[in-house]
Amino acid sequence: MAQESPKNSAAEIPVTSNGEVDDSHEHGFNRDLKRSLPAGLGLSETQITSHGFDGTKEGVTEAGAFQGGQRTQTKSGPVILADEIKNPAMEKLELVRKWSLNTYKCTRQIISEKLGRGSRTVDLELEAQIDILRDNKKKYENILRLAQTLSTQLFQMVHTQRQLGDAFADLSLKSLELHEEFGYNADTQKLLAKNGETLLGAINFFIASVNTLVNKTIEDTLMTVKQYESARIEYDAYRTDLEELNLGPRDANTLPKIEQSQHLFQAHKEKYDKMRNDVSIKLKFLEENKVKVLHNQLVLFHNAIAAYFAGNQKQLEQTLKQFHIKLKTPGVDAPSWLEEQ
């Protein structure tokens, strides 16, 4: 005989006569819960809401924190970043995009100029000065190479004369019958070696000064010229873009592009004008400095060479004192006149 299973009160769901769920037990539960809560805490602070099993929402429990007897609700939502906070990756990507676009425009401008299809901005006076500067730099470099060759050969000759003087001096001590002859030659070679060292100091000073002028001062000006030429290419590239847009139709789609192109063109025009002004100023100061430096160095070179081959030792030494040249030990270069200034 089957026994009837005991009923669990928690599993019982009361139903009214029309088939709806009877929620009188829920109201009774809330009432008992309200009585059992301590003073100051009511159902307005803690609310338990339940819905039928056929509802689309699940049970929700809401609870608030107490601050001075009142509840403070914390609202949550999507976090909105400020406009100032930018993604570094996006910034780098934007920089790469701008660089690629600028490189494309400049490359197209260079190719069109070489093919004879594009126009270029030319400052005839400034371009002529730049061409003269580059030609002079090549000539000064040639003088510098020849002076270095002369210095090397003179050093070898002075070294040989010194050794020859020592050999004559040794023979003058060992050959009594030729003592005076060997002695004269020994003194002559030693004097030539001494004068050669003095001339070598003057030539090395000349080389150092010309080297500073060519490889530092002129090279610095040519670097500015390269920047000027790059600015000129960018200016012509954006000028060509603006001209092409102005020749096209003007509508709602093209007007923003024309305005943006006009803004970029103006920015590169200002950069081009600034670089052109910088090149003009540097060329002016370079010319003044070049004349001053080369004048002193050419006078030094001439006087030293003339005194050496004339055998005028006093004049040779006076030339070095005039230009404040101090002879250094072998292997140590004399300071440049420009560096001393």
Side-chain angles (χ1 to χ4, degrees):
M1 185 175 178
Q3 293 183 355
E4 198 176 15
S5 61
K7 296 181 179 179
N8 190 347
S9 60
E12 292 181 355
I13 301 176
V15 181
T16 59
S17 59
N18 56 2
E20 296 180 354
V21 179
D22 187 7
D23 57 353
S24 59
H25 292 281
E26 180 183 351
H27 293 297
F29 172 76
N30 290 335
R31 184 174 59 253
D32 295 338
L33 179 62
K34 185 176 181 180
R35 291 175 181 175
S36 61
L37 288 174
L41 179 61
L43 290 178
S44 59
E45 287 78 19
T46 303
Q47 180 181 359
I48 301 176
T49 306
S50 62
H51 300 277
F53 290 98
D54 57 348
T56 58
K57 296 182 180 180
E58 297 178 356
V60 178
T61 303
E62 297 179 355
F66 281 94
Q67 294 182 359
Q70 296 182 353
R71 183 183 66 176
T72 302
Q73 264 188 332
T74 303
K75 296 183 179 180
S76 61
V79 178
I80 301 176
L81 298 177
D83 294 338
E84 292 79 5
I85 303 176
K86 298 181 179 179
N87 190 348
M90 295 301 295
E91 290 182 353
K92 292 181 179 179
L93 185 62
E94 181 66 17
L95 290 176
V96 171
R97 188 188 70 82
K98 291 181 179 180
W99 175 84
S100 302
L101 183 61
N102 185 73
T103 303
Y104 164 74
K105 291 179 180 293
C106 294
T107 304
R108 185 183 63 178
Q109 177 67 24
I110 293 173
I111 294 175
S112 64
E113 289 179 3
K114 290 184 177 181
L115 295 177
R117 299 176 181 176
S119 61
R120 65 188 298 265
T121 304
V122 180
D123 189 328
L124 296 178
E125 182 180 357
L126 188 61
E127 293 289 339
Q129 293 178 1
I130 293 174
D131 291 339
I132 293 174
L133 175 63
R134 285 173 171 161
D135 185 61
N136 287 339
K137 183 175 183 290
K138 293 179 181 179
K139 294 178 179 179
Y140 295 154
E141 288 175 342
N142 184 44
I143 290 177
L144 190 60
R145 284 194 299 269
L146 294 174
Q148 290 172 343
T149 302
L150 177 62
S151 175
T152 302
Q153 293 174 349
L154 180 60
F155 175 80
Q156 296 294 335
M157 186 181 72
V158 169
H159 181 68
T160 303
Q161 288 173 338
R162 189 182 297 110
Q163 290 181 333
L164 189 59
D166 294 338
F168 283 148
D170 182 62
L171 288 173
S172 68
L173 297 176
K174 296 180 179 180
S175 301
L176 298 178
E177 63 279 7
L178 297 174
H179 171 74
E180 293 184 359
E181 290 79 358
F182 280 123
Y184 292 152
N185 282 277
D187 294 340
T188 301
Q189 294 300 322
K190 289 180 180 179
L191 180 60
L192 289 174
K194 181 180 178 181
N195 292 341
E197 290 177 351
T198 305
L199 177 62
L200 190 62
I203 293 177
N204 288 336
F205 185 80
F206 172 82
I207 291 173
S209 299
V210 175
N211 180 69
T212 301
L213 175 65
V214 173
N215 294 322
K216 290 185 179 180
T217 310
I218 295 180
E219 188 64 28
D220 177 71
T221 304
L222 290 178
M223 288 296 296
T224 307
V225 170
K226 291 180 181 179
Q227 296 175 1
Y228 157 74
E229 291 176 343
S230 298
R232 196 275 306 167
I233 293 174
E234 292 179 354
Y235 165 71
D236 283 339
Y238 285 92
R239 175 181 57 81
T240 303
D241 279 354
L242 181 60
E243 291 175 353
E244 292 177 355
L245 289 174
N246 287 330
L247 293 176
R250 292 176 174 267
D251 51 25
N253 294 328
T254 58
L255 284 178
K257 295 181 180 179
I258 295 175
E259 183 178 355
Q260 183 182 9
S261 180
Q262 178 68 34
H263 175 73
L264 294 173
F265 165 75
Q266 188 63 31
H268 285 87
K269 183 179 184 300
E270 293 175 358
K271 180 181 178 182
Y272 167 72
D273 293 337
K274 179 181 179 300
M275 293 305 305
R276 181 175 58 181
N277 185 53
D278 291 346
V279 170
S280 299
I281 293 174
K282 282 201 170 187
L283 286 175
K284 179 181 178 181
F285 283 107
L286 174 63
E287 185 65 23
E288 296 175 357
N289 190 27
K290 181 192 70 175
V291 171
K292 181 180 178 181
V293 171
L294 289 181
H295 169 75
N296 293 332
Q297 296 305 315
L298 291 173
V299 170
L300 164 67
F301 192 83
H302 171 268
N303 292 345
I305 293 289
Y308 173 79
F309 284 100
N312 193 339
Q313 181 181 0
K314 292 183 179 180
Q315 182 63 31
L316 184 60
E317 294 176 352
Q318 185 64 30
T319 301
L320 267 66
K321 290 181 180 179
Q322 178 183 354
F323 291 92
H324 308 285
I325 301 175
K326 296 181 180 179
L327 296 180
K328 300 292 183 179
T329 57
V332 179
D333 294 332
S336 168
W337 181 84
L338 287 177
E339 294 175 350
E340 290 182 347
Q341 294 299 320

